[in-house]
């Protein structure tokens, strides 16, 4: 069984997220998502609209996602790759090169981001709605 791992905040879920998850799952048989906790997001200067528990429940309902684990720190990835016996690590290419240190442990693939959508765009556009 080929296991795939990716990470993210996945707040205000949109089609860019789904495109990433679908392509990640297509690379293997089992997809694990490391979901950023609310605490970890503070370090990313991100404040998710939905709590970790609600973002986790939403992700777990997606057909491409097989398991969701918490992302608490930047440096848990090697441990996660080893402990979960991961074959392929996947991220959108806004992270191109940032996780190449994982190449020692698994394949690393950066997938093209979906253009024209992001959680911050959604938030911004909503402030413009009368
Ligand atoms: N993404 C995408 N296209 C978009 C928006 C997002 O492909 N239009 C991808 C991102 O590249 C990422 C995933 O969807 O792979 C989740 O995006 P975010 O929730 O914004 O994740 P991020 O805050 O980048 O967290 O340790 C890594 C971090 O946790 C990544």
């Amino acid at each position: 069984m080929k296991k795939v791992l990716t990470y993210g905040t996945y707040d205000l879920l949109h089609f860019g997220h789904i495109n990433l998850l679908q392509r990640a799952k297509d690379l293997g048989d089992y997809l694990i998502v490391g979901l950023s906790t609310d605490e970890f997001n503070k370090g990313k200067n991100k404040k998710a609209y939905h709590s970790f528990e609600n973002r986790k429940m939403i992700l777990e309902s997606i057909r491409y996602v097989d398991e969701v684990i918490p992302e608490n720190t930047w440096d848990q990835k090697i441990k996660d790759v080893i402990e979960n016996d991961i074959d392929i690590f996947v991220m959108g290419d806004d992270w191109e090169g940032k996780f190449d240190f994982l190449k020692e442990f698994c394949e690393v693939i950066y997938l093209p981001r979906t253009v024209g959508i992001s959680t911050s765009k959604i938030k911004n556009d909503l402030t413009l709605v009368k």
Side-chain angles (χ1 to χ4, degrees):
M1 177 169 73
K2 193 172 271 195
K3 297 181 78 177
V4 185
L5 174 64
T6 190
Y7 293 82
T9 301
Y10 289 96
D11 191 33
L12 301 185
L13 199 68
H14 55 68
F15 58 91
H17 293 140
I18 300 300
N19 281 340
L20 190 288
L21 295 169
Q22 178 177 14
R23 286 175 294 164
K25 180 59 178 283
D26 283 351
L27 290 167
D29 309 292
Y30 189 89
L31 174 61
I32 301 177
V33 179
L35 184 63
S36 310
T37 60
D38 297 330
E39 200 50 43
F40 180 62
N41 272 329
K42 283 184 191 143
K44 288 199 275 188
N45 293 321
K46 276 195 170 185
K47 171 127 183 41
Y49 178 81
H50 293 302
S51 68
F52 172 79
E53 284 312 317
N54 287 336
R55 288 182 286 119
K56 181 172 186 288
M57 180 259 263
I58 293 168
L59 271 188
E60 286 170 341
S61 71
I62 298 170
R63 72 175 72 160
Y64 307 118
V65 177
D66 296 288
E67 186 180 348
V68 178
I69 60 174
E71 179 184 32
N72 295 297
T73 66
W74 285 110
D75 50 21
Q76 71 182 70
K77 293 184 173 67
I78 293 176
K79 184 171 81 50
D80 287 348
V81 166
I82 294 168
E83 283 181 1
N84 291 283
D85 198 19
I86 298 298
D87 300 288
I88 307 174
F89 172 86
V90 175
M91 284 303 291
D93 63 5
D94 46 319
W95 293 92
E96 182 82 38
K98 298 285 189 310
F99 302 112
D100 287 357
F101 63 88
L102 290 171
K103 285 183 176 174
E104 200 181 321
F105 306 97
C106 63
E107 202 179 336
V108 174
I109 296 177
Y110 301 100
L111 297 172
R113 272 175 76 91
T114 302
V115 176
I117 186 70
S118 68
T119 302
S120 33
K121 178 176 176 4
I122 293 170
K123 288 179 180 174
N124 182 52
D125 290 354
L126 287 176
T127 58
L128 306 177
V129 170
K130 288 285 169 282

